[in-house]
Amino acid sequence: MKYTYLLINFLTILFPVILSFDKRVRFYKSWKFIWPGMAITGLVFLFWDVLFTINGVWSFDARHIIGIKFFQLPLEEILFFLTVPFACLFIYACINYYVKWQPSAQWTRIITNLLIIFSVLALIFYYDRLYTLVTFSLLWVLLVFLQYAFKVKWLNRFYLTYLVALIPFYIVNGYLTAIPVVLYNDLQNMGVRVGTIPLEDHFYCMAMLLMNVGFFEYFKGKESK
């Protein structure tokens, strides 16, 4: 049982790594653009992770982790911020290669605006819940800057990627919260769950993926100039 979380991490990244060498997508050629962004994003989210753990936003069942910890975080939790972004960036690369249709700029703005409005409402009504406060503050900042300050052109493809990524998200987070490996304190979130998964997890994941895709596109574009 102590290898549960480690096994989930391994299975999360296994197929994306193997399929990275597919002759069509050739994702392995993009690996060099992934690591800098994953490192920066990982540090940001690990900071919050440590803060959340210290303040009791969530905790980890000792029966399902190997027991190696850094700053109170299990090794498996640190690996999570490598395996999940890698898998989702692989999905992003596949979407870019195989899916020719994409939402229009108008629909992309509508989706972004709805997410911004939802984030503001969440902050107004649940400002006293730490997980909710951090999640929707970060998401709000990212969406406003990416859509209106930087005016990035890839948000439409990101939203498609996020929809597809929800499939493995529900599998992975479903297991983590159902077993449970990760235990959430509902006093620090909205108390709303999709199955066993807190609602905030969906948007925390979205914010994490936004940062990773943003840095991926930045470093890829920087080399092509």
Side-chain angles (χ1 to χ4, degrees), residues 88-101:
C88 290
L89 285 168
F90 172 74
I91 293 173
Y92 179 73
C94 290
I95 291 290
N96 285 339
Y97 184 86
Y98 289 109
V99 180
K100 304 307 177 185
W101 178 86

Side-chain angles (χ1 to χ4, degrees), residues 45-86:
F45 278 82
L46 284 171
F47 169 80
W48 291 118
D49 209 331
V50 171
L51 181 67
F52 290 161
T53 303
I54 292 173
N55 286 277
V57 172
W58 54 49
S59 58
F60 306 91
D61 191 326
R63 295 173 299 174
H64 300 292
I65 57 177
I66 59 177
I68 300 173
K69 292 187 178 183
F70 300 93
F71 301 102
Q72 300 191 34
L73 292 183
L75 173 63
E76 296 91 334
E77 179 74 355
I78 296 171
L79 293 175
F80 183 84
F81 290 101
L82 298 175
T83 59
V84 171
F86 183 91

Side-chain angles (χ1 to χ4, degrees), residues 94-115:
C94 290
I95 291 290
N96 285 339
Y97 184 86
Y98 289 109
V99 180
K100 304 307 177 185
W101 178 86
Q102 56 189 19
S104 65
Q106 181 180 3
W107 274 108
T108 301
R109 281 194 300 273
I110 290 172
I111 295 169
T112 301
N113 288 338
L114 288 173
L115 288 168

Side-chain angles (χ1 to χ4, degrees), residues 91-173:
I91 293 173
Y92 179 73
C94 290
I95 291 290
N96 285 339
Y97 184 86
Y98 289 109
V99 180
K100 304 307 177 185
W101 178 86
Q102 56 189 19
S104 65
Q106 181 180 3
W107 274 108
T108 301
R109 281 194 300 273
I110 290 172
I111 295 169
T112 301
N113 288 338
L114 288 173
L115 288 168
I116 289 172
I117 292 169
F118 184 76
S119 297
V120 171
L121 291 174
L123 291 170
I124 291 173
F125 290 105
Y126 296 96
Y127 65 90
D128 57 339
R129 314 289 177 92
L130 184 58
Y131 190 22
T132 310
L133 176 65
V134 171
T135 297
F136 288 102
S137 295
L138 180 58
L139 183 61
W140 182 88
V141 169
L142 288 171
L143 289 171
V144 169
F145 272 84
L146 290 171
Q147 180 73 68
Y148 295 106
F150 299 132
K151 298 180 180 179
V152 299
K153 304 299 183 183
W154 47 262
L155 270 178
N156 50 3
R157 299 192 303 278
F158 169 81
Y159 290 136
L160 284 178
T161 300
Y162 180 74
L163 285 177
V164 175
L166 282 176
I167 298 172
F169 168 84
Y170 281 120
I171 296 172
V172 172
N173 279 47

